[in-house]
Amino acid sequence: MSKFDPLRDHLKRQTATELVLSIDEIEQMLGFDLPRASHRASWWDSTRAPEEKMPQREACLDAGYIATRLPDGSGVRFRRIKARRPY
């Protein structure tokens, strides 16, 4: 169990291919303040250093989304990962 499970569960319920959540919305959902590092793009970026297992990244990936911090740092854009076709 991860403290980011509420974010994962929220994302799993979404049907949109893309959505944006503010940092405040994410903190309210989680029930705690995110660390200052969450305002850096690299903290959310699932494609950067994928060998580093970070719970916030894993929650997004488990829900089928890639997370990218907005340029102004006010929120995070979640984009659905395209399902791969079986060969």
Side-chain angles (χ1 to χ4, degrees):
M1 182 150 172
S2 165
K3 61 184 182 178
F4 289 93
D5 285 354
L7 175 61
R8 180 203 62 205
D9 296 344
H10 176 78
L11 292 173
K12 280 186 172 184
R13 290 190 297 271
Q14 303 309 304
T15 58
T17 56
E18 183 174 307
L19 68 141
V20 173
L21 295 172
S22 71
I23 295 295
D24 289 340
E25 288 174 312
I26 295 169
E27 289 176 338
Q28 185 175 21
M29 184 185 311
L30 296 174
F32 61 88
D33 291 342
L34 292 171
R36 215 182 310 181
S38 69
H39 294 277
R40 291 194 314 259
S42 62
W43 198 80
W44 291 101
D45 187 358
S46 306
T47 60
R48 183 173 181 223
E51 68 281 358
E52 290 182 37
K53 300 298 181 198
M54 298 181 73
Q56 71 281 6
R57 294 177 185 176
E58 295 300 311
C60 298
L61 291 170
D62 286 349
Y65 283 87
I66 296 284
T68 308
R69 185 188 64 93
L70 296 178
D72 67 1
S74 65
V76 180
R77 174 174 281 114
F78 298 93
R79 290 189 179 113
R80 187 171 301 282
I81 300 168
K82 293 181 182 179
R84 295 182 179 183
R85 293 183 182 177
Y87 293 97

